[in-house]
Amino acid sequence: MNKQEWLILGQTLFGQDMMQWKFKCPCCGHIATAEDYKKANAPSSAVAFSCVGRWMPVHKEAFDDKDKRNIPCNYSGGGLLNINPVIVDDRKVFEFGV
């Protein structure tokens, strides 16, 4: 999909305020809003690309199947394994958290 299609889908699902859009980490399943990333002091480039847990003091390790805590992980879409499921203009990102 292209960026315009992605923006239209986001607006349809969540409205005009992009800070309220939700994204699901493909590694741990945590759903976070763009506002959550801002509160965690994550760079804007991390939204829908890396899990918000990377910027939180308490998180679990990405791909740790033994850690059953319901908290975000430290997955990065820029790491060795990029499992981001949606392609927008050749960039792999998280799916919307609906």
Side-chain angles (χ1 to χ4, degrees), residues 13-88:
L13 292 171
F14 305 111
Q16 296 289 324
D17 184 359
M18 292 178 80
M19 295 304 285
Q20 300 309 309
W21 291 16
K22 298 175 184 179
F23 305 97
K24 181 179 177 183
C25 175
C27 187
C28 69
H30 182 80
I31 295 176
T33 64
E35 181 69 27
D36 294 332
Y37 284 85
K38 183 177 181 181
K39 287 178 183 176
N41 292 316
S44 61
S45 60
V47 176
F49 186 73
S50 295
C51 190
V52 69
R54 288 183 67 78
W55 293 272
M56 299 176 75
V58 177
H59 60 266
K60 58 186 170 184
E61 293 297 315
F63 305 105
D64 182 353
D65 294 336
K66 294 177 185 165
D67 190 339
K68 301 300 181 192
R69 294 178 293 169
N70 188 23
I71 60 174
C73 69
N74 64 352
Y75 168 76
S76 171
L80 179 63
L81 300 175
N82 183 336
I83 59 172
N84 294 351
V86 178
I87 299 174
V88 179

Side-chain angles (χ1 to χ4, degrees), residues 7-15 21-22 96-98:
L7 290 170
I8 290 169
L9 179 57
Q11 290 172 1
T12 301
L13 292 171
F14 305 111
W21 291 16
K22 298 175 184 179
F96 287 116
V98 291

